[in-house]
């Protein structure tokens, strides 16, 4: 009996220790910024700098739109950087859309440490930069991939944008963590990214894309987002996992939906 109790206590101590470690180190796990990143923009892009309202100067890449095309404000995934963002938006670039690829604080050589509030500041800084270039928010289509669905959704709620597109998006970060680690209390997840609670409150058209084989952000997230926004356009891509944004099929679907918005005239900069 004593042996069984000792084993139970030991297991409980291990679980508490593991939970404490995950709590204190969670942002390192959630935001694993790659150590390798592009030092210079590829052809067609230029290096630009945005200024956040908490004093950070962030480097990112911009590609101007062809006449009559809208600009895409793109938020990449947590293990990605501008190199992956370029790959994920190559179909939109070929479509003639402008591209503003947001690079986060703590990523790509930028100062600061990533977190929910910080990523929102980074997004606001990108929108201010576009506005200074006479590209108003209402001519911007926001695209968020994976963790990027968090700042993308917040920006579409804060600003009057042309549309919001979520690729491999989640209903909330605690939902993703809870599905991956059921033993970890969801209320201990610091960064919430409550996308599902925001979708119904925004005016912009919404497009949702997911791979049906996604095991990282499971398709149940898509179902929850769809319930929150029943009028959203939904694309469930068969036979693809969390990498759906980089596939040729997804690229074509994204470009087609963006083109469907072109019957709405562009606005001149304010």
């Amino acid at each position: 009996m004593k042996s069984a109790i000792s084993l139970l206590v030991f297991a409980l101590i291990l679980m508490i220790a593991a939970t404490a470690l995950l709590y204190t180190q969670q942002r390192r796990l959630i935001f694993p910024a790659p150590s390798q990143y592009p030092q210079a923009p590829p052809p067609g892009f230029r290096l630009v700098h945005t200024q956040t309202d908490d004093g950070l100067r962030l480097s990112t890449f911009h590609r101007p739109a062809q006449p009559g095309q809208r600009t895409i404000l793109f938020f990449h995934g947590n293990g990605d950087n501008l190199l992956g963002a370029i790959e994920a938006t190559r179909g939109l670039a070929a479509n003639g859309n402008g591209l503003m690829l947001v690079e986060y604080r703590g990523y790509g050589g930028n100062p600061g440490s990533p977190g929910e509030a910080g990523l929102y500041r980074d997004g606001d800084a990108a929108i201010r930069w576009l506005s200074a270039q006479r590209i108003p928010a209402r001519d911007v289509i926001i695209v968020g991939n994976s963790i990027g669905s968090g700042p993308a959704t917040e920006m579409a709620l804060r600003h009057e944008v042309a549309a919001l597109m979520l690729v491999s998006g989640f209903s909330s970060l605690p939902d993703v963590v809870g599905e991956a680690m059921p033993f970890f209390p969801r209320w201990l997840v610091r960064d919430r990214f409550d996308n599902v609670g925001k979708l119904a409150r925004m005016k912009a058209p919404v497009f949702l894309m997911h791979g049906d084989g996604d095991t990282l952000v499971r398709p149940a997230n898509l179902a929850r987002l769809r319930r929150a926004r029943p009028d959203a356009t939904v694309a469930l891509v068969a036979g693809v996992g969390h990498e759906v944004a980089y596939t040729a099929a997804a690229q074509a679907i994204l470009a087609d939906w963006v083109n469907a918005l072109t019957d709405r005239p562009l606005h001149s900069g304010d």
Side-chain angles (χ1 to χ4, degrees):
M1 184 68 176
K2 288 183 179 180
S3 178
I5 293 175
S6 297
L7 285 174
L8 182 61
V9 171
F10 180 68
L12 183 60
I13 291 173
L14 281 179
M15 181 173 291
I16 292 172
T19 301
L21 181 64
L22 286 171
Y23 177 76
T24 57
Q25 300 297 315
Q26 62 181 273
R27 280 191 172 146
R28 290 188 179 183
L29 298 172
I30 293 170
F31 301 105
S35 58
Q36 301 292 325
Y37 52 86
Q39 301 293 323
F45 288 85
R46 64 184 175 119
L47 175 67
V48 301
H49 297 93
T50 63
Q51 190 74 29
T52 69
D53 60 10
D54 59 344
L56 298 183
R57 184 174 184 263
L58 303 180
S59 299
T60 190
F61 293 164
H62 174 254
R63 178 189 181 108
Q66 294 181 6
Q69 292 287 357
R70 286 180 166 82
T71 293
I72 306 296
L73 181 63
F74 185 83
F75 295 86
H76 65 68
N78 66 335
D80 214 343
N81 57 29
L82 294 181
L83 190 62
I86 291 167
E87 286 300 308
T89 57
R90 65 186 185 276
L92 295 168
N95 196 47
N97 294 107
L99 293 171
M100 181 70 170
L101 308 179
V102 178
E103 188 55 295
Y104 309 135
R105 58 188 62 208
Y107 279 71
N110 283 332
S113 299
E116 182 176 9
L119 265 60
Y120 294 162
R121 291 188 171 100
D122 301 345
D124 279 332
I127 289 178
R128 285 196 300 271
W129 187 91
L130 289 172
S131 179
Q133 311 305 308
R134 302 186 64 79
I135 303 172
R138 58 186 179 272
D139 286 337
V140 174
I141 297 172
I142 300 182
V143 181
N145 183 39
S146 191
I147 198 80
S149 65
T153 301
E154 180 68 18
M155 293 304 101
L157 183 64
R158 292 185 182 186
H159 304 279
E160 185 184 349
V161 299
L164 170 67
M165 306 176 77
L166 302 183
V167 183
S168 303
F170 47 70
S171 47
S172 73
L173 192 56
D175 286 343
V176 176
V177 173
E179 289 167 354
M181 296 182 290
F183 64 88
F184 188 74
R186 298 188 181 197
W187 59 270
L188 288 179
V189 181
R190 295 179 182 178
D191 299 303
R192 314 300 290 182
F193 292 117
D194 182 23
N195 297 336
V196 75
K198 298 173 183 177
L199 283 185
R201 295 157 50 198
M202 65 181 62
K203 299 178 181 179
V206 175
F207 176 91
L208 305 171
M209 176 185 286
H210 222 92
D212 68 351
D214 195 333
T215 57
L216 182 60
V217 179
R218 298 175 187 176
N221 286 270
L222 174 65
R224 289 189 288 265
L225 292 172
R226 190 175 189 176
R227 286 195 297 271
R229 189 64 186 255
D231 65 336
T233 301
V234 177
L236 184 63
V237 183
V240 184
H242 197 63
E243 73 284 0
V244 62
Y246 308 97
T247 65
Q251 295 286 319
I253 294 169
L254 290 173
D256 286 346
W257 196 79
V258 167
N259 285 336
L261 298 174
T262 57
D263 58 344
R264 304 179 186 185
L266 294 174
H267 301 83
S268 58
D270 294 332

